[in-house]
């Protein structure tokens, strides 16, 4: 018998939430505060490697993803055409050239 509580497929993956935090340079506590959960909740979500998730945990995962998208411009990329999943900024970022400071 299949547990109907665990029918929601996980997207984005918890691994991508960790990657997105790394991309934008925030810690678990900062992300937790944006969503209104504890840092421990974020840690548990990020550590979850399941292919399916109960509805309450899935909602928190989606809230984390939405906060990263709306507050930091993160885009979650689904795997396709043999390429894996990933995260990136939705728009291009301009980076200062290193070593081109002319004085």
């Amino acid at each position: 018998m299949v547990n109907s509580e665990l029918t929601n497929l996980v997207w984005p993956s918890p691994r991508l939430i960790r990657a997105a935090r790394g991309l934008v340079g925030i810690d678990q506590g900062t992300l937790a505060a944006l969503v209104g959960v504890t840092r421990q909740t974020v840690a548990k979500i990020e550590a979850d490697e399941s292919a399916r998730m109960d509805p309450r945990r899935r909602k928190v995962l989606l809230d984390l993803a939405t906060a990263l998208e709306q507050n930091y411009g993160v885009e979650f990329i689904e795997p396709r055409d043999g390429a894996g999943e990933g995260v990136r900024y939705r728009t291009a970022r301009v980076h200062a050239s290193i070593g081109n400071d002319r004085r």
Side-chain angles (χ1 to χ4, degrees):
M1 179 179 218
V2 174
N3 183 347
S4 62
E5 289 285 312
L6 299 175
T7 57
N8 292 317
L9 292 176
V10 178
W11 177 258
S13 69
R15 181 177 296 140
L16 288 181
I17 299 297
R18 278 193 313 269
R21 275 194 316 97
L23 177 67
V24 301
I26 61 171
D27 61 17
Q28 290 175 334
T30 301
L31 183 55
L34 281 173
V35 177
V37 298
T38 65
R39 186 205 58 76
Q40 292 85 352
T41 299
V42 174
K44 286 178 184 177
I45 294 287
E46 289 183 350
D48 192 333
E49 295 292 330
S50 305
R52 297 181 185 275
M53 200 175 266
D54 73 74
R56 288 174 296 172
R57 191 170 277 195
R58 180 166 159 61
K59 182 188 179 318
V60 173
L61 176 82
L62 293 175
D63 290 346
L64 296 172
T66 299
L68 288 161
E69 291 168 337
Q70 292 178 352
N71 293 285
Y72 295 97
V74 168
E75 179 179 14
F76 294 95
I77 305 163
E78 293 188 53
R80 68 173 161 235
D81 301 328
E85 64 187 16
V87 295
R88 66 180 175 195
Y89 286 110
R90 191 172 29 255
T91 58
R93 302 280 179 179
V94 177
H95 298 286
S97 296
I98 298 173
N100 287 337
D101 186 17
R102 296 180 186 199
R103 292 183 186 196

